[in-house]
Amino acid sequence: MKGGFNMKRSIQILVSSVVGSLLTISLLYIFGVLPPEKKVKIQQLSSMPAVHQVTNDIAGATPPFDFAETAEKVMPSVVQITSSVADTDPLIRRYERRRSPDPFRDFFFDDDFFDQFFYPYRSPQQEPEQTERYRRSTGSGVIINEDGYIVTNNHVIDNADEVEVTLHDNRSFKATVIGTDPTTDLALLKIKASQLPTLPLVDSDEVKVGEWVLAVGNPLNLNSTVTAGIVSAKGRNINILREEYAVESFIQTDAAINPGNSGGALVNLHGGLVGINTAIASPTGSYAGYGFAVPSNLVRKVVEDLLEYGNVQRGVLGVMIRDVNSQLVKDKDLEVNRGVYVDSVMTESSAHDAGIEEGDVILEVNGTHVYTSPALQELIAQHRPGDEVKIKVDRYGKEKVFDVQLKSREGLTALKETEADEYLRELGAVLRPVDKEKAKKLDIEGGVQVVKLHAGKLRSHTRMREGFIITHVDKKAVKNLDDFSEALQEAKGGALLQGIYEDESGIHYYGLGIDA
């Protein structure tokens, strides 16, 4: 009996030792160096300190792993984001929203979650039927620069009239939308604050399946919530983004993520940002086992582009692809059983010009193996038009390497910038000068077109719609962004915006209040 007890105790000690060793192995990863930022400093982690080995105590038991140090370091850099949308008919809006196929409908926390309605009045003199209701939705965000730059999900702030950021210390700020990228569901915000705590980005390509991670955010209005799990898969495509050129190569985790976690941080145990939490796989809209985060390498690329160019610069190969599987190997008589199969190549595309052909199987991009279509999309999406990448393919059993110069979706290698200074960004709009061809077609001398509306003055103070072309400010003609900016800065108290819509006849006018 005593011998049986000793044997059982020995087995327990052996199992504890094995578990401790596995935990140690899963924690000892070193992250690489990311390219330096050009204008706004965003901290990167170039190396990681060693993590102390998990050992058994005197009794042979494995002590519990402690995430407290990492959580304490990370929480101050994760914020709550509240988006307010004006709505004059809440009952109709609520009915339509529940019928909506919007894939993010259940993933961020809003007033309807517990049927809580708010009916603030514009003024005491108004009658109840004229009042305006604000629908408020909450999500999360991550501070990536000490001067107030914050990354979140596009769906958290999309269509919002106002965006408010609440810091971990309960200070609140109105936020300006610097830019958005619906193809990755990312957005960059700016608040007027300084010396803020930040999260450094790490190389998400080096993140391993099985690695411990923490999800930090504000689920279900429970501020500063931390959950733990592991990276359960990489390169996941769950077909949740509805954009034509969407890039889905999510990091999958089993750390608990719920409505309100959108835009929050997925970090490793060193406190480095691995990804931005974006979606969950759930039949109920609440946590059911798996969450998905945009990898930090894609986050870094989007942020850099929005800061430097005003929009995301994305190179494309110009191919139709699918994953190699056993059935495809049999149907096409392939010599390899892993990779990305090229179904077709678009004429005059980057791939076509480099010599890639239909039937090739893409194996590597710049030395990195690619086994799935999402992984290939992610690697290409990290580059801009004009960049060159080395692509290795298998062609009928022989490996070939091609130097591919990437082009934009329009077939150009040049970058396309959207000019916008901070003064114009406060209007909450992406503005672009009307080109000569369009001006001639519309019989106007020129103007500035509202390409996209974000939270800001134009959305909250006017009923202007996207696509509006501003031709005059206070009866003064504007032909480009400089004219428009100058006219607004000269306006005192308010300005009258005059212009047209391409698909409507007649001239439209909008009054805009101007702060002193």
Side-chain angles (χ1 to χ4, degrees), residues 119-128 130-132:
Y119 295 93
Y121 292 97
R122 282 188 180 273
S123 67
Q125 290 76 26
Q126 286 184 312
E127 296 298 325
Q130 296 176 309
T131 61
E132 184 174 56

Side-chain angles (χ1 to χ4, degrees), residues 182-394:
T183 63
T184 56
D185 193 30
L186 292 173
L188 181 64
L189 310 180
K190 176 74 165 61
I191 61 174
K192 294 180 179 179
S194 59
Q195 298 182 334
L196 298 176
T198 65
L199 280 188
L201 281 71
V202 299
D203 185 351
S204 55
D205 290 345
E206 297 298 323
V207 175
K208 305 297 183 183
V209 174
E211 181 175 345
W212 280 101
V213 287
L214 302 181
V216 187
N218 305 282
L220 308 178
N221 248 347
L222 301 172
N223 295 352
S224 302
T225 294
V226 180
T227 55
I230 63 169
V231 173
S232 52
K234 294 181 65 179
R236 285 293 196 215
N237 184 325
I238 57 176
N239 295 314
I240 198 170
L241 302 180
R242 297 293 183 254
E243 297 295 318
E244 182 180 1
Y245 295 95
V247 179
E248 288 193 28
S249 185
F250 293 119
I251 294 173
Q252 179 181 306
T253 178
D254 63 355
I257 296 174
N258 275 293
N261 272 117
S262 285
L266 188 70
V267 301
N268 61 19
L269 295 191
H270 300 285
L273 186 65
V274 169
I276 296 295
N277 296 321
T278 299
I280 54 178
S282 170
T284 63
S286 296
Y287 176 69
Y290 300 106
F292 303 91
V294 179
S296 58
N297 284 3
L298 268 184
V299 175
R300 174 184 54 80
K301 165 64 165 51
V302 169
V303 168
E304 288 178 348
D305 283 358
L306 291 177
L307 287 171
E308 186 168 354
Y309 306 107
N311 58 70
V312 175
Q313 310 285 337
R314 184 154 293 143
V316 296
L317 278 177
V319 294
M320 300 294 291
I321 56 177
R322 54 175 157 156
D323 295 350
V324 171
N325 55 35
S326 58
Q327 187 61 48
L328 188 63
V329 170
K330 184 185 298 183
D331 293 343
K332 302 293 184 180
D333 194 25
L334 301 179
E335 297 294 330
V336 292
N337 56 14
R338 298 189 77 176
V340 179
Y341 182 79
V342 178
D343 262 322
S344 63
V345 180
M346 301 176 189
T347 58
E348 299 184 1
S349 66
S350 305
H352 176 270
D353 293 349
I356 294 176
E357 299 177 357
E358 178 183 331
D360 287 347
V361 177
I362 298 175
L363 304 175
E364 295 180 6
V365 175
N366 288 341
T368 300
H369 293 288
V370 290
Y371 299 129
T372 64
S373 298
L376 175 61
Q377 286 181 306
E378 180 187 349
L379 288 171
I380 297 299
Q382 293 176 21
H383 295 277
R384 301 183 178 98
D387 289 352
E388 289 191 0
V389 294
K390 286 187 179 296
I391 295 184
K392 180 187 287 188
V393 307
D394 176 274

Side-chain angles (χ1 to χ4, degrees), residues 54-79:
V54 178
T55 57
N56 296 336
D57 59 20
I58 297 176
T62 302
F65 197 84
D66 189 359
F67 302 113
E69 184 177 345
T70 302
E72 184 178 3
K73 180 166 61 175
V74 169
M75 282 192 296
S77 302
V78 180
V79 303

